[in-house]
């Protein structure tokens, strides 16, 4: 309780007030800022020797802008740093070339993948030919790829948390972390680079062994 007095607004140990000290403004601001970031302040002190203030913050904490989407009723976040464009297309706009689905966009051929397939989750909806598909064009280095999702929720600033320590035996491929949204929903954060690499390896497998899409699905 005595230590907590140090962080009270207006508390000062200075005998006189100057332009730099004695106004009782400082440590209370530090405590408020650290607390807002889910951190802690620890005081270690010994009379006649001195006092040490230790600030601790969650190592895995980061705030990133992300695009929230849904697949099969679950929420997934795509970092905005990887989002190049958002589209609404018809199923008839999708073509099949060399074992892959593609979309022709402004004289460029964009490879398409359903997010449900990339994360090994069954796609939740069967759309009619006239209904629109939501596509997020992501960019990794110089590569563009279109990811088909069930629904677009919108942009959010999210606090990321690591989930690797819950799965010590192996990392979850394609997932870099998680975030708890304002309504309590948990959103898994997609590792776009990992998903693109996985897409490339699957294409290579199909070409090498001559698999058709129906064979792979079966």
């Amino acid at each position: 309780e005595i230590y907590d007095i140090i962080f009270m607004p207006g508390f000062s140990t200075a005998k006189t007030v100057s332009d730099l000290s004695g106004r009782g403004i400082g440590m209370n601001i530090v405590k408020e800022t650290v607390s807002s970031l889910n951190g802690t302040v620890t005081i270690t002190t010994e009379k006649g020797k001195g006092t040490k203030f230790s600030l601790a913050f969650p190592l895995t904490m980061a705030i990133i802008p992300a695009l929230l989407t849904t697949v099969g009723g679950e929420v997934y976040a795509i970092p905005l740093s990887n989002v190049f464009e958002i589209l609404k297309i018809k199923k008839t706009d999708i073509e099949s070339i060399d074992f892959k689905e593609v979309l022709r966009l402004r004289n460029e051929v964009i490879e398409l993948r359903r997010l449900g397939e990339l994360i090994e989750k069954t796609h939740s909806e069967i759309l009619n030919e006239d209904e629109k598909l939501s596509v997020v064009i992501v960019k990794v280095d110089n590569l563009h790829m279109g990811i088909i999702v069930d629904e677009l929720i919108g942009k959010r600033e999210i606090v990321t948390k690591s989930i690797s320590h819950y799965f010590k035996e192996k990392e979850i491929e394609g997932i870099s972390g998680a975030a708890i949204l304002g309504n309590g929903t948990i959103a898994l954060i997609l590792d776009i680079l990992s998903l693109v690499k996985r897409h490339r390896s699957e294409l290579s497998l199909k070409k090498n062994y001559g698999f058709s899409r129906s064979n792979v699905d079966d």
Side-chain angles (χ1 to χ4, degrees), residues 37 39 44 58 77 99 105 110 116 126 135 138 143 168 205:
L37 297 173
T44 304
F99 299 107
L105 180 65
I110 305 293
I126 300 177
V135 179
V138 297
L143 174 66
K168 295 182 180 179
L205 178 67

Side-chain angles (χ1 to χ4, degrees), residues 126-154:
I126 300 177
L127 300 177
N128 296 325
E129 295 295 324
D130 295 333
E131 292 189 78
K132 298 285 187 176
L133 294 172
S134 298
V135 179
V136 180
I137 307 295
V138 297
K139 182 178 180 180
V140 177
D141 296 329
N142 293 322
L143 174 66
H144 291 83
M145 185 176 78
I147 297 179
I148 301 174
V149 300
D150 289 355
E151 182 184 4
L152 298 170
I153 298 178

Side-chain angles (χ1 to χ4, degrees), residues 58-204:
L59 293 178
T60 59
M61 188 186 71
I63 300 177
I64 64 169
L67 176 67
L68 298 185
T69 66
T70 65
V71 171
E74 297 181 3
V75 181
Y76 296 88
I78 302 176
L80 275 185
S81 58
N82 296 125
V83 176
F84 180 76
E85 190 173 353
I86 301 172
L87 302 172
K88 287 282 190 179
I89 66 171
K90 293 182 179 180
K91 289 185 67 176
T92 52
D93 295 329
I94 300 176
E95 302 177 33
S96 180
I97 299 177
D98 196 16
F99 299 107
K100 59 189 176 184
E101 291 183 323
V102 300
L103 172 70
R104 297 186 185 274
L105 180 65
R106 293 188 293 273
N107 297 323
E108 184 178 358
V109 177
I110 305 293
E111 298 178 16
L112 295 176
R113 283 301 300 269
R114 289 169 171 77
L115 180 56
E117 296 175 350
L118 284 174
I119 59 177
E120 298 182 352
K121 182 179 182 64
T122 302
H123 192 65
S124 62
E125 297 181 10
I126 300 177
L127 300 177
N128 296 325
E129 295 295 324
D130 295 333
E131 292 189 78
K132 298 285 187 176
L133 294 172
S134 298
V135 179
V136 180
I137 307 295
V138 297
K139 182 178 180 180
V140 177
D141 296 329
N142 293 322
L143 174 66
H144 291 83
M145 185 176 78
I147 297 179
I148 301 174
V149 300
D150 289 355
E151 182 184 4
L152 298 170
I153 298 178
K155 174 187 172 183
R156 297 287 190 280
E157 299 283 338
I158 60 175
V159 178
T160 67
K161 297 288 185 178
S162 173
I163 59 174
S164 60
H165 61 282
Y166 293 111
F167 304 91
K168 295 182 180 179
E169 295 182 358
K170 64 178 181 178
E171 295 292 330
I172 302 178
E173 187 177 10
I175 303 296
S176 63
I180 301 177
L181 306 181
N183 60 3
T185 301
I186 295 178
L188 295 179
I189 303 169
L190 299 177
D191 182 349
I192 298 300
L193 177 59
S194 174
L195 292 177
V196 170
K197 287 182 177 179
R198 179 174 177 177
H199 167 68
R200 286 299 188 183
S201 65
E202 289 178 357
L203 282 182
S204 177

Side-chain angles (χ1 to χ4, degrees), residues 213-218:
R213 181 175 180 81
S214 60
N215 290 336
V216 174
D217 289 340
D218 292 341

